[in-house]
Amino acid sequence: SFVSKSLEYNQLRYCPIEVIFLQFVKIWKKSMTFDVSDCTSHLNNARRRILESPQLDWNVDDIARNAGISKSYFQRLYREIFKTSCMEDIINARIDRAKRLLENTEMQIGDIAIECGYSNGSHFMRQFRQKTGVTAMEYRKVSRENTNSENK
């Protein structure tokens, strides 16, 4: 113990720059290690939050930063794990929420757009039609007709 302490002291006394540098490299390497399973956990949590609350103002940069990785790496991992992009998940979750609101409420289309996270009603309507093939009004009408025919 005394001998090893003496050696450490001698190392510091004779070559402090090299020792400090080696210690720095050792610490830096530890900080650069990346646990993919930890990242997967962050991605799973992020996806769960997106699907539960699609109406929030989601930002891929912020989600990646919270996961502790770059935006490009986040997007690549997200696609590899979930077989879709993060933005597609956000859009699909918003459209699914809009469908439920159209089926189960009397809310105005503009209010549904806001409730689903769209600040622009025309953007919502365009995206809804692109994803479903029908307008929000047509979707509501058909879903009501289907519900009425099932109740008879």
Side-chain angles (χ1 to χ4, degrees), residues 91-131:
I91 292 166
N92 289 333
R94 288 178 174 174
I95 297 300
D96 288 344
R97 182 178 175 92
K99 287 178 182 178
R100 288 190 307 275
L101 292 171
L102 288 164
E103 293 165 0
N104 300 309
T105 72
E106 297 298 325
M107 291 174 68
Q108 298 290 318
I109 303 298
D111 294 336
I112 289 175
I114 292 167
E115 183 69 25
C116 293
Y118 292 91
S119 58
N120 182 317
S122 60
H123 179 62
F124 163 71
M125 290 184 268
R126 186 173 48 255
Q127 214 163 50
F128 190 91
R129 185 179 184 121
Q130 181 183 15
K131 290 291 184 182

mmCIF file of all heavy atoms in Angstrom, residues 91-131:
data_model
loop_
_atom_site.group_PDB
_atom_site.id
_atom_site.type_symbol
_atom_site.label_atom_id
_atom_site.label_comp_id
_atom_site.label_asym_id
_atom_site.label_seq_id
_atom_site.Cartn_x
_atom_site.Cartn_y
_atom_site.Cartn_z
ATOM 1 N N ILE A 91 -48.090 11.628 -36.307
ATOM 2 C CA ILE A 91 -49.208 11.908 -37.221
ATOM 3 C C ILE A 91 -50.283 10.834 -37.092
ATOM 4 O O ILE A 91 -51.473 11.149 -36.965
ATOM 5 C CB ILE A 91 -48.699 12.024 -38.674
ATOM 6 C CG1 ILE A 91 -47.842 13.276 -38.829
ATOM 7 C CG2 ILE A 91 -49.864 12.022 -39.660
ATOM 8 C CD1 ILE A 91 -47.021 13.313 -40.109
ATOM 9 N N ASN A 92 -49.892 9.576 -37.114
ATOM 10 C CA ASN A 92 -50.873 8.486 -37.016
ATOM 11 C C ASN A 92 -51.620 8.511 -35.688
ATOM 12 O O ASN A 92 -52.829 8.268 -35.646
ATOM 13 C CB ASN A 92 -50.200 7.132 -37.233
ATOM 14 C CG ASN A 92 -49.775 6.931 -38.671
ATOM 15 O OD1 ASN A 92 -50.355 7.488 -39.598
ATOM 16 N ND2 ASN A 92 -48.736 6.139 -38.875
ATOM 17 N N ALA A 93 -50.912 8.822 -34.605
ATOM 18 C CA ALA A 93 -51.565 8.905 -33.297
ATOM 19 C C ALA A 93 -52.561 10.064 -33.275
ATOM 20 O O ALA A 93 -53.657 9.942 -32.712
ATOM 21 C CB ALA A 93 -50.520 9.072 -32.199
ATOM 22 N N ARG A 94 -52.214 11.174 -33.908
ATOM 23 C CA ARG A 94 -53.129 12.322 -33.978
ATOM 24 C C ARG A 94 -54.364 11.991 -34.812
ATOM 25 O O ARG A 94 -55.487 12.337 -34.434
ATOM 26 C CB ARG A 94 -52.411 13.542 -34.545
ATOM 27 C CG ARG A 94 -51.427 14.144 -33.573
ATOM 28 C CD ARG A 94 -50.680 15.313 -34.147
ATOM 29 N NE ARG A 94 -49.867 15.929 -33.102
ATOM 30 C CZ ARG A 94 -49.011 16.910 -33.318
ATOM 31 N NH1 ARG A 94 -48.856 17.403 -34.541
ATOM 32 N NH2 ARG A 94 -48.321 17.412 -32.317
ATOM 33 N N ILE A 95 -54.158 11.314 -35.918
ATOM 34 C CA ILE A 95 -55.292 10.943 -36.784
ATOM 35 C C ILE A 95 -56.192 9.942 -36.061
ATOM 36 O O ILE A 95 -57.425 10.052 -36.128
ATOM 37 C CB ILE A 95 -54.790 10.399 -38.139
ATOM 38 C CG1 ILE A 95 -54.011 11.478 -38.914
ATOM 39 C CG2 ILE A 95 -55.933 9.845 -38.964
ATOM 40 C CD1 ILE A 95 -54.782 12.735 -39.251
ATOM 41 N N ASP A 96 -55.603 8.976 -35.368
ATOM 42 C CA ASP A 96 -56.405 8.014 -34.599
ATOM 43 C C ASP A 96 -57.231 8.718 -33.525
ATOM 44 O O ASP A 96 -58.397 8.390 -33.308
ATOM 45 C CB ASP A 96 -55.514 6.947 -33.953
ATOM 46 C CG ASP A 96 -54.947 5.964 -34.960
ATOM 47 O OD1 ASP A 96 -55.457 5.898 -36.100
ATOM 48 O OD2 ASP A 96 -53.983 5.261 -34.613
ATOM 49 N N ARG A 97 -56.632 9.686 -32.861
ATOM 50 C CA ARG A 97 -57.364 10.459 -31.850
ATOM 51 C C ARG A 97 -58.513 11.226 -32.513
ATOM 52 O O ARG A 97 -59.630 11.270 -31.978
ATOM 53 C CB ARG A 97 -56.418 11.417 -31.135
ATOM 54 C CG ARG A 97 -57.063 12.226 -30.041
ATOM 55 C CD ARG A 97 -56.013 13.127 -29.365
ATOM 56 N NE ARG A 97 -56.596 14.007 -28.396
ATOM 57 C CZ ARG A 97 -56.730 13.735 -27.105
ATOM 58 N NH1 ARG A 97 -56.324 12.575 -26.646
ATOM 59 N NH2 ARG A 97 -57.273 14.612 -26.292
ATOM 60 N N ALA A 98 -58.243 11.818 -33.666
ATOM 61 C CA ALA A 98 -59.284 12.560 -34.389
ATOM 62 C C ALA A 98 -60.433 11.629 -34.780
ATOM 63 O O ALA A 98 -61.601 12.004 -34.651
ATOM 64 C CB ALA A 98 -58.685 13.225 -35.627
ATOM 65 N N LYS A 99 -60.105 10.433 -35.221
ATOM 66 C CA LYS A 99 -61.154 9.469 -35.583
ATOM 67 C C LYS A 99 -62.055 9.172 -34.389
ATOM 68 O O LYS A 99 -63.281 9.159 -34.527
ATOM 69 C CB LYS A 99 -60.524 8.158 -36.083
ATOM 70 C CG LYS A 99 -59.911 8.231 -37.456
ATOM 71 C CD LYS A 99 -59.292 6.861 -37.755
ATOM 72 C CE LYS A 99 -58.612 6.796 -39.070
ATOM 73 N NZ LYS A 99 -57.998 5.473 -39.293
ATOM 74 N N ARG A 100 -61.445 8.924 -33.240
ATOM 75 C CA ARG A 100 -62.245 8.644 -32.034
ATOM 76 C C ARG A 100 -63.144 9.824 -31.681
ATOM 77 O O ARG A 100 -64.315 9.636 -31.326
ATOM 78 C CB ARG A 100 -61.337 8.279 -30.855
ATOM 79 C CG ARG A 100 -60.704 6.902 -30.970
ATOM 80 C CD ARG A 100 -60.015 6.464 -29.687
ATOM 81 N NE ARG A 100 -59.058 7.418 -29.167
ATOM 82 C CZ ARG A 100 -57.786 7.508 -29.547
ATOM 83 N NH1 ARG A 100 -57.316 6.683 -30.463
ATOM 84 N NH2 ARG A 100 -56.976 8.397 -29.003
ATOM 85 N N LEU A 101 -62.602 11.034 -31.784
ATOM 86 C CA LEU A 101 -63.400 12.219 -31.479
ATOM 87 C C LEU A 101 -64.518 12.414 -32.498
ATOM 88 O O LEU A 101 -65.637 12.801 -32.133
ATOM 89 C CB LEU A 101 -62.506 13.465 -31.408
ATOM 90 C CG LEU A 101 -61.536 13.508 -30.226
ATOM 91 C CD1 LEU A 101 -60.550 14.662 -30.371
ATOM 92 C CD2 LEU A 101 -62.285 13.592 -28.908
ATOM 93 N N LEU A 102 -64.243 12.140 -33.752
ATOM 94 C CA LEU A 102 -65.277 12.253 -34.788
ATOM 95 C C LEU A 102 -66.385 11.233 -34.566
ATOM 96 O O LEU A 102 -67.559 11.519 -34.784
ATOM 97 C CB LEU A 102 -64.660 12.074 -36.180
ATOM 98 C CG LEU A 102 -63.801 13.236 -36.673
ATOM 99 C CD1 LEU A 102 -62.949 12.797 -37.862
ATOM 100 C CD2 LEU A 102 -64.671 14.435 -37.035
ATOM 101 N N GLU A 103 -66.016 10.044 -34.149
ATOM 102 C CA GLU A 103 -66.986 8.970 -33.920
ATOM 103 C C GLU A 103 -67.821 9.191 -32.665
ATOM 104 O O GLU A 103 -68.989 8.831 -32.627
ATOM 105 C CB GLU A 103 -66.263 7.622 -33.789
ATOM 106 C CG GLU A 103 -65.593 7.152 -35.053
ATOM 107 C CD GLU A 103 -64.596 6.016 -34.825
ATOM 108 O OE1 GLU A 103 -64.412 5.587 -33.650
ATOM 109 O OE2 GLU A 103 -63.978 5.571 -35.798
ATOM 110 N N ASN A 104 -67.225 9.783 -31.641
ATOM 111 C CA ASN A 104 -67.853 9.776 -30.323
ATOM 112 C C ASN A 104 -68.267 11.137 -29.770
ATOM 113 O O ASN A 104 -68.776 11.199 -28.650
ATOM 114 C CB ASN A 104 -66.912 9.102 -29.313
ATOM 115 C CG ASN A 104 -66.604 7.680 -29.715
ATOM 116 O OD1 ASN A 104 -67.503 6.894 -29.992
ATOM 117 N ND2 ASN A 104 -65.329 7.345 -29.784
ATOM 118 N N THR A 105 -68.016 12.209 -30.502
ATOM 119 C CA THR A 105 -68.387 13.528 -29.994
ATOM 120 C C THR A 105 -69.088 14.331 -31.078
ATOM 121 O O THR A 105 -69.106 13.946 -32.247
ATOM 122 C CB THR A 105 -67.152 14.339 -29.527
ATOM 123 O OG1 THR A 105 -66.399 14.761 -30.674
ATOM 124 C CG2 THR A 105 -66.280 13.543 -28.576
ATOM 125 N N GLU A 106 -69.604 15.459 -30.667
ATOM 126 C CA GLU A 106 -70.220 16.415 -31.595
ATOM 127 C C GLU A 106 -69.315 17.619 -31.819
ATOM 128 O O GLU A 106 -69.759 18.640 -32.334
ATOM 129 C CB GLU A 106 -71.581 16.882 -31.026
ATOM 130 C CG GLU A 106 -72.599 15.770 -30.884
ATOM 131 C CD GLU A 106 -72.977 15.125 -32.224
ATOM 132 O OE1 GLU A 106 -73.037 15.845 -33.246
ATOM 133 O OE2 GLU A 106 -73.186 13.902 -32.241
ATOM 134 N N MET A 107 -68.061 17.503 -31.439
ATOM 135 C CA MET A 107 -67.124 18.622 -31.555
ATOM 136 C C MET A 107 -67.012 19.093 -32.997
ATOM 137 O O MET A 107 -67.098 18.289 -33.935
ATOM 138 C CB MET A 107 -65.730 18.212 -31.057
ATOM 139 C CG MET A 107 -65.631 17.962 -29.567
ATOM 140 S SD MET A 107 -64.003 17.310 -29.070
ATOM 141 C CE MET A 107 -62.970 18.744 -29.380
ATOM 142 N N GLN A 108 -66.786 20.382 -33.170
ATOM 143 C CA GLN A 108 -66.528 20.956 -34.487
ATOM 144 C C GLN A 108 -65.178 20.444 -35.002
ATOM 145 O O GLN A 108 -64.268 20.158 -34.202
ATOM 146 C CB GLN A 108 -66.491 22.486 -34.403
ATOM 147 C CG GLN A 108 -67.789 23.114 -33.950
ATOM 148 C CD GLN A 108 -68.859 22.984 -35.025
ATOM 149 O OE1 GLN A 108 -68.598 23.164 -36.210
ATOM 150 N NE2 GLN A 108 -70.068 22.661 -34.597
ATOM 151 N N ILE A 109 -65.040 20.368 -36.310
ATOM 152 C CA ILE A 109 -63.798 19.863 -36.923
ATOM 153 C C ILE A 109 -62.596 20.706 -36.486
ATOM 154 O O ILE A 109 -61.539 20.168 -36.149
ATOM 155 C CB ILE A 109 -63.910 19.829 -38.471
ATOM 156 C CG1 ILE A 109 -65.101 18.989 -38.920
ATOM 157 C CG2 ILE A 109 -62.608 19.341 -39.100
ATOM 158 C CD1 ILE A 109 -65.055 17.539 -38.536
ATOM 159 N N GLY A 110 -62.748 22.027 -36.468
ATOM 160 C CA GLY A 110 -61.655 22.906 -36.037
ATOM 161 C C GLY A 110 -61.228 22.643 -34.608
ATOM 162 O O GLY A 110 -60.035 22.677 -34.285
ATOM 163 N N ASP A 111 -62.212 22.372 -33.744
ATOM 164 C CA ASP A 111 -61.899 22.061 -32.342
ATOM 165 C C ASP A 111 -61.196 20.714 -32.223
ATOM 166 O O ASP A 111 -60.298 20.544 -31.396
ATOM 167 C CB ASP A 111 -63.170 22.063 -31.498
ATOM 168 C CG ASP A 111 -63.792 23.450 -31.394
ATOM 169 O OD1 ASP A 111 -63.053 24.450 -31.566
ATOM 170 O OD2 ASP A 111 -65.009 23.532 -31.165
ATOM 171 N N ILE A 112 -61.598 19.776 -33.052
ATOM 172 C CA ILE A 112 -60.937 18.461 -33.061
ATOM 173 C C ILE A 112 -59.488 18.621 -33.516
ATOM 174 O O ILE A 112 -58.583 18.017 -32.945
ATOM 175 C CB ILE A 112 -61.706 17.458 -33.943
ATOM 176 C CG1 ILE A 112 -63.026 17.079 -33.255
ATOM 177 C CG2 ILE A 112 -60.860 16.212 -34.236
ATOM 178 C CD1 ILE A 112 -63.928 16.190 -34.072
ATOM 179 N N ALA A 113 -59.285 19.460 -34.525
ATOM 180 C CA ALA A 113 -57.921 19.706 -35.001
ATOM 181 C C ALA A 113 -57.040 20.210 -33.865
ATOM 182 O O ALA A 113 -55.936 19.691 -33.641
ATOM 183 C CB ALA A 113 -57.944 20.705 -36.154
ATOM 184 N N ILE A 114 -57.536 21.189 -33.126
ATOM 185 C CA ILE A 114 -56.775 21.741 -32.002
ATOM 186 C C ILE A 114 -56.569 20.681 -30.926
ATOM 187 O O ILE A 114 -55.466 20.529 -30.395
ATOM 188 C CB ILE A 114 -57.487 22.986 -31.434
ATOM 189 C CG1 ILE A 114 -57.418 24.114 -32.459
ATOM 190 C CG2 ILE A 114 -56.878 23.409 -30.101
ATOM 191 C CD1 ILE A 114 -58.331 25.289 -32.164
ATOM 192 N N GLU A 115 -57.610 19.935 -30.626
ATOM 193 C CA GLU A 115 -57.550 18.879 -29.604
ATOM 194 C C GLU A 115 -56.522 17.801 -29.970
ATOM 195 O O GLU A 115 -55.970 17.134 -29.089
ATOM 196 C CB GLU A 115 -58.932 18.258 -29.421
ATOM 197 C CG GLU A 115 -59.025 17.227 -28.353
ATOM 198 C CD GLU A 115 -58.872 17.770 -26.945
ATOM 199 O OE1 GLU A 115 -59.148 18.957 -26.717
ATOM 200 O OE2 GLU A 115 -58.462 16.990 -26.072
ATOM 201 N N CYS A 116 -56.262 17.646 -31.247
ATOM 202 C CA CYS A 116 -55.316 16.613 -31.708
ATOM 203 C C CYS A 116 -53.908 17.153 -31.939
ATOM 204 O O CYS A 116 -53.034 16.424 -32.410
ATOM 205 C CB CYS A 116 -55.849 15.963 -32.982
ATOM 206 S SG CYS A 116 -57.339 15.013 -32.688
ATOM 207 N N GLY A 117 -53.692 18.428 -31.622
ATOM 208 C CA GLY A 117 -52.340 18.974 -31.715
ATOM 209 C C GLY A 117 -52.042 19.769 -32.956
ATOM 210 O O GLY A 117 -50.892 20.135 -33.200
ATOM 211 N N TYR A 118 -53.054 20.060 -33.750
ATOM 212 C CA TYR A 118 -52.854 20.854 -34.965
ATOM 213 C C TYR A 118 -53.182 22.312 -34.671
ATOM 214 O O TYR A 118 -54.260 22.620 -34.171
ATOM 215 C CB TYR A 118 -53.755 20.348 -36.092
ATOM 216 C CG TYR A 118 -53.376 18.987 -36.608
ATOM 217 C CD1 TYR A 118 -53.933 17.837 -36.063
ATOM 218 C CD2 TYR A 118 -52.452 18.846 -37.636
ATOM 219 C CE1 TYR A 118 -53.582 16.583 -36.529
ATOM 220 C CE2 TYR A 118 -52.103 17.592 -38.110
ATOM 221 C CZ TYR A 118 -52.670 16.466 -37.545
ATOM 222 O OH TYR A 118 -52.319 15.221 -38.007
ATOM 223 N N SER A 119 -52.277 23.190 -35.018
ATOM 224 C CA SER A 119 -52.539 24.619 -34.837
ATOM 225 C C SER A 119 -53.228 25.197 -36.069
ATOM 226 O O SER A 119 -53.760 26.298 -36.026
ATOM 227 C CB SER A 119 -51.240 25.369 -34.549
ATOM 228 O OG SER A 119 -50.324 25.161 -35.601
ATOM 229 N N ASN A 120 -53.238 24.429 -37.147
ATOM 230 C CA ASN A 120 -53.807 24.890 -38.400
ATOM 231 C C ASN A 120 -54.860 23.880 -38.865
ATOM 232 O O ASN A 120 -54.533 22.733 -39.170
ATOM 233 C CB ASN A 120 -52.668 25.014 -39.427
ATOM 234 C CG ASN A 120 -53.112 25.526 -40.762
ATOM 235 O OD1 ASN A 120 -54.145 25.120 -41.289
ATOM 236 N ND2 ASN A 120 -52.308 26.404 -41.335
ATOM 237 N N GLY A 121 -56.123 24.318 -38.926
ATOM 238 C CA GLY A 121 -57.215 23.424 -39.302
ATOM 239 C C GLY A 121 -57.080 22.873 -40.706
ATOM 240 O O GLY A 121 -57.386 21.695 -40.949
ATOM 241 N N SER A 122 -56.606 23.693 -41.647
ATOM 242 C CA SER A 122 -56.480 23.198 -43.020
ATOM 243 C C SER A 122 -55.379 22.140 -43.120
ATOM 244 O O SER A 122 -55.492 21.189 -43.893
ATOM 245 C CB SER A 122 -56.233 24.340 -44.003
ATOM 246 O OG SER A 122 -55.053 25.027 -43.691
ATOM 247 N N HIS A 123 -54.334 22.291 -42.319
ATOM 248 C CA HIS A 123 -53.278 21.266 -42.299
ATOM 249 C C HIS A 123 -53.844 19.945 -41.766
ATOM 250 O O HIS A 123 -53.562 18.877 -42.305
ATOM 251 C CB HIS A 123 -52.110 21.737 -41.441
ATOM 252 C CG HIS A 123 -50.996 20.755 -41.332
ATOM 253 N ND1 HIS A 123 -50.264 20.329 -42.415
ATOM 254 C CD2 HIS A 123 -50.484 20.102 -40.260
ATOM 255 C CE1 HIS A 123 -49.361 19.453 -42.017
ATOM 256 N NE2 HIS A 123 -49.483 19.300 -40.714
ATOM 257 N N PHE A 124 -54.655 20.039 -40.712
ATOM 258 C CA PHE A 124 -55.304 18.853 -40.170
ATOM 259 C C PHE A 124 -56.175 18.181 -41.236
ATOM 260 O O PHE A 124 -56.098 16.973 -41.442
ATOM 261 C CB PHE A 124 -56.159 19.216 -38.950
ATOM 262 C CG PHE A 124 -57.163 18.150 -38.592
ATOM 263 C CD1 PHE A 124 -56.765 16.947 -38.036
ATOM 264 C CD2 PHE A 124 -58.522 18.342 -38.837
ATOM 265 C CE1 PHE A 124 -57.690 15.954 -37.717
ATOM 266 C CE2 PHE A 124 -59.451 17.361 -38.520
ATOM 267 C CZ PHE A 124 -59.037 16.166 -37.959
ATOM 268 N N MET A 125 -57.012 18.973 -41.896
ATOM 269 C CA MET A 125 -57.934 18.395 -42.890
ATOM 270 C C MET A 125 -57.168 17.738 -44.042
ATOM 271 O O MET A 125 -57.533 16.658 -44.498
ATOM 272 C CB MET A 125 -58.898 19.464 -43.390
ATOM 273 C CG MET A 125 -59.895 19.874 -42.320
ATOM 274 S SD MET A 125 -61.127 21.039 -42.901
ATOM 275 C CE MET A 125 -60.330 22.580 -42.501
ATOM 276 N N ARG A 126 -56.101 18.388 -44.475
ATOM 277 C CA ARG A 126 -55.290 17.824 -45.561
ATOM 278 C C ARG A 126 -54.645 16.514 -45.119
ATOM 279 O O ARG A 126 -54.678 15.511 -45.829
ATOM 280 C CB ARG A 126 -54.243 18.854 -45.975
ATOM 281 C CG ARG A 126 -53.429 18.469 -47.175
ATOM 282 C CD ARG A 126 -52.496 19.584 -47.666
ATOM 283 N NE ARG A 126 -51.706 20.226 -46.620
ATOM 284 C CZ ARG A 126 -51.941 21.443 -46.126
ATOM 285 N NH1 ARG A 126 -52.931 22.175 -46.574
ATOM 286 N NH2 ARG A 126 -51.165 21.952 -45.178
ATOM 287 N N GLN A 127 -54.085 16.505 -43.917
ATOM 288 C CA GLN A 127 -53.423 15.301 -43.420
ATOM 289 C C GLN A 127 -54.431 14.186 -43.147
ATOM 290 O O GLN A 127 -54.156 13.022 -43.420
ATOM 291 C CB GLN A 127 -52.630 15.637 -42.156
ATOM 292 C CG GLN A 127 -51.374 14.839 -42.021
ATOM 293 C CD GLN A 127 -50.422 15.451 -41.030
ATOM 294 O OE1 GLN A 127 -50.804 15.778 -39.907
ATOM 295 N NE2 GLN A 127 -49.170 15.585 -41.429
ATOM 296 N N PHE A 128 -55.594 14.542 -42.620
ATOM 297 C CA PHE A 128 -56.628 13.544 -42.347
ATOM 298 C C PHE A 128 -57.044 12.861 -43.643
ATOM 299 O O PHE A 128 -57.116 11.633 -43.712
ATOM 300 C CB PHE A 128 -57.843 14.189 -41.666
ATOM 301 C CG PHE A 128 -58.836 13.182 -41.154
ATOM 302 C CD1 PHE A 128 -58.729 12.692 -39.862
ATOM 303 C CD2 PHE A 128 -59.856 12.693 -41.964
ATOM 304 C CE1 PHE A 128 -59.631 11.749 -39.373
ATOM 305 C CE2 PHE A 128 -60.765 11.743 -41.493
ATOM 306 C CZ PHE A 128 -60.644 11.273 -40.195
ATOM 307 N N ARG A 129 -57.296 13.653 -44.665
ATOM 308 C CA ARG A 129 -57.715 13.084 -45.954
ATOM 309 C C ARG A 129 -56.600 12.234 -46.563
ATOM 310 O O ARG A 129 -56.859 11.161 -47.124
ATOM 311 C CB ARG A 129 -58.138 14.183 -46.922
ATOM 312 C CG ARG A 129 -58.679 13.616 -48.206
ATOM 313 C CD ARG A 129 -59.117 14.699 -49.171
ATOM 314 N NE ARG A 129 -59.698 14.057 -50.320
ATOM 315 C CZ ARG A 129 -60.927 14.250 -50.736
ATOM 316 N NH1 ARG A 129 -61.715 15.085 -50.111
ATOM 317 N NH2 ARG A 129 -61.374 13.629 -51.788
ATOM 318 N N GLN A 130 -55.385 12.696 -46.438
ATOM 319 C CA GLN A 130 -54.240 11.948 -46.972
ATOM 320 C C GLN A 130 -54.123 10.580 -46.295
ATOM 321 O O GLN A 130 -53.857 9.576 -46.948
ATOM 322 C CB GLN A 130 -52.956 12.757 -46.759
ATOM 323 C CG GLN A 130 -51.706 12.104 -47.285
ATOM 324 C CD GLN A 130 -50.463 12.935 -46.957
ATOM 325 O OE1 GLN A 130 -50.495 13.843 -46.124
ATOM 326 N NE2 GLN A 130 -49.372 12.605 -47.615
ATOM 327 N N LYS A 131 -54.347 10.530 -44.981
ATOM 328 C CA LYS A 131 -54.185 9.285 -44.234
ATOM 329 C C LYS A 131 -55.394 8.353 -44.335
ATOM 330 O O LYS A 131 -55.242 7.137 -44.282
ATOM 331 C CB LYS A 131 -53.912 9.582 -42.751
ATOM 332 C CG LYS A 131 -52.561 10.172 -42.496
ATOM 333 C CD LYS A 131 -51.498 9.144 -42.750
ATOM 334 C CE LYS A 131 -50.129 9.656 -42.426
ATOM 335 N NZ LYS A 131 -49.093 8.679 -42.719
#
